[in-house]
Amino acid sequence: MNVSRIAVAGGIAATTVLLLAGPASAHVSVQPQGEAAKGGYATINFKVPNERDDASTVKLEVNFPTDHPLSSVSPQAVPGWKIDVTKATLAEPLDVHGKKVTEAVSKVTWTADASAAIKPGYFQQFPLSVGQLPEDADQLVFKALQTYSSKEVVRWIEETPASGEEPDNPAPVLTLTDAAADAHGATADDKAAGTEASAATGHTTEAASDSTSTSDSTARVLGIVGIVIGIAGVAFGILARRRTV
């Protein structure tokens, strides 16, 4: 009897853990393809799972951060989904490659056709090309609204507190990485140092080459002089012999 009660209690506890853990892990999220480097451009995907058994996801709205506006946002076409891009005027213009940008994307909305809605048990990804990513931030927080065919709207807008405990409806967070080195693992400073070193090495090599050239010329001259002296010595010897005879 005691064993049965323990087994039942254990089963109830395990079921409770699954019920609590399930929804927390199935929220709208954002991930880069590769890395999202500070100061650069990246392709990111918003992943939208369907958490309902009796309704399909028919709409997704993603609001962009206003503290770090992005001057370039280009959505990739998703079959069966209509895409609307909303822009807003910036309080302070952005300087992008020497050009003043006065507006930025504030929201992107995807709306599904009846056949393209995300059905129960499925998920859909929504790709965007974005930039220029900020250089003075470690992450970007997006706020997303997920609408179901039942008219229910789930607001994924809660930011994770400093304690690290994930809220019930966390907002999608894009983690930014430090600017990557080039293909050879060298940064701009490394390249500059390498260029200076190469220049210095070039001067040294040129000097060594000049020195080697001078040495070769001297050796050739000495060799020719030696040959001439040798020939003169042979000729002198022959003449001396003739006089003796």
Side-chain angles (χ1 to χ4, degrees), residues 23 56 60 78 114 131 156 166 233 239-240:
S56 299
L60 173 68
V78 179
W156 303 99
E166 187 176 77
L239 292 174

Side-chain angles (χ1 to χ4, degrees), residues 22-241:
S25 62
H27 52 72
V28 174
S29 60
V30 59
Q31 291 293 335
Q33 292 183 10
E35 291 187 347
K38 298 177 182 179
Y41 292 78
T43 298
I44 61 177
N45 286 318
F46 284 91
K47 182 179 179 181
V48 182
N50 193 322
E51 297 183 298
R52 302 295 180 260
D53 297 328
D54 56 353
S56 299
T57 296
V58 296
K59 186 177 180 181
L60 173 68
E61 299 173 65
V62 174
N63 292 278
F64 283 69
T66 56
D67 54 343
H68 294 291
L70 301 177
S71 61
S72 175
V73 177
S74 301
Q76 179 177 323
V78 179
W81 290 78
K82 176 186 175 183
I83 304 174
D84 292 314
V85 178
T86 304
K87 294 184 177 181
T89 301
L90 298 173
E92 295 183 7
L94 295 175
D95 187 357
V96 181
H97 305 301
K99 182 180 178 181
K100 295 295 183 182
V101 177
T102 59
E103 62 178 13
V105 171
S106 58
K107 181 172 67 172
V108 177
T109 304
W110 292 265
T111 305
D113 294 338
S115 60
I118 308 171
K119 297 176 175 58
Y122 288 81
F123 74 91
Q124 177 67 53
Q125 295 195 78
F126 299 89
L128 292 172
S129 174
V130 300
Q132 184 172 3
L133 298 174
E135 298 180 354
D136 57 349
D138 295 323
Q139 64 180 26
L140 292 178
V141 179
F142 300 85
K143 295 185 177 182
L145 277 65
Q146 181 180 9
T147 302
Y148 286 92
S149 56
S150 61
K151 307 301 181 182
E152 177 191 7
V153 177
V154 181
R155 301 169 62 84
W156 303 99
I157 63 173
E158 299 177 348
E159 297 189 31
T160 301
S163 61
E165 183 179 354
E166 187 176 77
D168 293 334
N169 288 21
V173 176
L174 177 66
T175 301
L176 305 181
T177 60
D178 292 332
D182 64 10
H184 301 287
T187 61
D189 291 339
D190 294 334
K191 287 183 178 180
T195 301
E196 293 176 0
S198 297
T201 303
H203 291 311
T204 303
T205 302
E206 183 179 354
S209 177
D210 292 342
S211 177
T212 301
S213 177
T214 302
S215 299
D216 290 343
S217 298
T218 302
R220 289 175 184 174
V221 171
L222 292 177
I224 292 172
V225 171
I227 292 173
V228 172
I229 293 174
I231 293 173
V234 172
F236 181 80
I238 292 173
L239 292 174
R241 287 181 182 180

